[in-house]
Amino acid sequence: MSKTESKMIKRRLANSYVSSLISTSLVLFLVGVTSMLLVNARSVSDYFKENLQISVLMKPEVSDAQAMDFQAELDNMHFIKSTAFVSREQGTEEMKAMLGEDFMDVFNSIPVPASIDVTLQAEYVSSDSVAVVRDRILESNLVDEVEYQQSLIEALNANLRKISMFFAVFIALLLFISFVLINNTVRLSIFSRRFSIHTMKLVGATRSFIREPFLLQSVIQGFFASVIATVILLAVMFFVRKGFVRMFEIFRMELLLAVIGIMIVSGIIICMASTCFAVNRMVSLTRDELYY
């Protein structure tokens, strides 16, 4: 073999490796995006649930001081995430903004009682749990009424279930596509070296001996591809964060390390599995089949 042919073969192998590395990196980037959505699905669901408010209306004779004392009691209840006190004056100003300045003319005294806006822990935002919470709050002699929208809670939980099912199917499909794409990329890379594999088989090399260097290379390729995919993911998140600040407040960024770990493990395992299948197939080919 001439030096020119040798350089040409090396160039082709290098181009094949680089294209395989880039293709695998892009697919692993999709795996990273999918994993980011998956690990933060609970956080997004909790965000919507914990922004649903319940209004605790105090009795007309209850003073603001008594209402604030009861607010402290509510803060100590394990099913309550946060509370916000609304005084008579504040409630009156809100009513004026809604109904107009002259709505008070028909009343001899301030008709708006003190109230407390309550947000629950996410796991208690369901029809049954909210009813139990309402009964627990109504046990106090200071409380006149507990208001919340039952239909809104039911619609919220129903929509979150539908969205979760949609994302579960979407993520499973995307992971399957990712595996197929990486598998095809690795197979094409190994196919370009089918003659080398056949030569090794002719001189008596066993399947495990032939597989060993390819598996080692697949581990290195999977690792570097996942590193490139991680850099792309971090860059995309950096630029996206400027336009979607609120979304990143919902996401738990400490889970980013778990996402990176998933990308690295996925890249190595998929590359190794694809390499093992592809090499076994190349070893099984006859001399005539190498040309088809």
Side-chain angles (χ1 to χ4, degrees), residues 3-291:
K3 291 184 178 180
T4 303
E5 291 177 342
S6 178
K7 290 182 180 179
M8 186 178 298
I9 292 174
K10 290 181 179 180
R11 190 181 301 112
R12 288 178 179 176
L13 291 176
N15 291 338
S16 174
Y17 181 80
V18 171
S19 62
S20 175
L21 184 65
I22 294 174
S23 300
T24 305
S25 300
L26 294 177
V27 174
L28 287 176
F29 166 70
L30 294 179
V31 173
V33 173
T34 304
S35 300
M36 197 67 185
L37 294 174
L38 183 63
V39 298
N40 283 287
R42 180 65 181 272
S43 299
V44 175
S45 174
D46 289 351
Y47 170 79
F48 286 108
K49 289 182 177 181
E50 291 176 354
N51 274 275
L52 194 68
Q53 286 190 341
I54 295 176
S55 295
V56 179
L57 303 180
M58 314 305 292
K59 291 182 178 179
E61 65 272 14
V62 175
S63 64
D64 287 352
Q66 290 176 308
M68 294 178 69
D69 290 338
F70 182 66
Q71 180 188 11
E73 295 181 22
L74 291 177
D75 288 332
N76 292 325
M77 295 181 180
H78 66 279
F79 47 78
I80 291 180
K81 177 177 175 58
S82 63
T83 60
F85 175 69
V86 181
S87 65
R88 293 173 180 268
E89 291 75 14
Q90 184 179 347
T92 302
E93 292 300 322
E94 291 177 358
M95 291 296 292
K96 286 181 179 179
M98 293 175 58
L99 303 177
E101 292 288 340
D102 56 349
F103 92 100
M104 287 288 296
D105 296 342
V106 298
F107 299 101
N108 295 324
S109 60
I110 298 178
V112 181
S115 63
I116 302 172
D117 291 335
V118 175
T119 58
L120 302 179
Q121 299 288 352
E123 57 267 27
Y124 290 95
V125 182
S126 64
S127 299
D128 296 338
S129 298
V130 172
V132 173
V133 170
R134 177 199 60 198
D135 295 339
R136 173 69 178 82
I137 295 176
L138 285 173
E139 291 177 0
S140 173
N141 295 327
L142 302 177
V143 178
D144 183 35
E145 190 177 355
V146 177
E147 292 185 349
Y148 63 92
Q149 294 182 327
Q150 177 77 16
S151 59
L152 182 59
I153 294 176
E154 294 175 352
L156 175 63
N157 284 286
N159 289 331
L160 287 175
R161 282 193 296 269
K162 291 178 182 178
I163 294 173
S164 298
M165 291 180 62
F166 170 78
F167 269 107
V169 174
F170 174 75
I171 289 171
L173 182 61
L174 189 56
L175 291 177
F176 174 75
I177 294 174
S178 300
F179 174 79
V180 172
L181 290 175
I182 293 177
N183 181 60
N184 289 337
T185 300
V186 172
R187 285 179 62 187
L188 288 174
S189 177
I190 294 177
F191 182 77
S192 64
R193 287 175 283 179
R194 63 193 183 281
F195 293 107
S196 299
I197 295 174
H198 185 68
T199 302
M200 295 172 69
K201 185 178 71 171
L202 290 177
V203 298
T206 61
R207 288 197 176 196
S208 59
F209 182 83
I210 295 173
R211 277 198 307 261
E212 185 174 343
F214 288 98
L215 288 176
L216 178 60
Q217 183 178 344
S218 70
V219 172
I220 297 174
Q221 177 179 334
F223 176 77
F224 279 108
S226 60
V227 170
I228 294 174
T230 299
V231 173
I232 296 174
L233 178 64
L234 293 177
V236 170
M237 290 178 62
F238 176 78
F239 287 107
V240 171
R241 187 170 188 173
K242 294 181 179 179
F244 300 92
V245 178
R246 189 59 180 171
M247 182 181 70
F248 282 86
E249 292 178 358
I250 300 173
F251 279 11
R252 295 174 58 190
M253 299 310 296
E254 66 271 17
L255 295 176
L256 184 58
L257 290 177
V259 172
I260 295 174
I262 291 173
M263 293 169 66
I264 294 175
V265 172
S266 299
I268 293 175
I269 291 178
I270 295 176
C271 285
M272 286 185 64
S274 301
T275 298
C276 187
F277 293 144
V279 171
N280 287 339
R281 183 175 181 278
M282 292 298 110
V283 172
S284 302
L285 293 179
T286 64
R287 183 175 180 277
D288 293 335
E289 290 174 333
L290 294 175
Y291 297 93

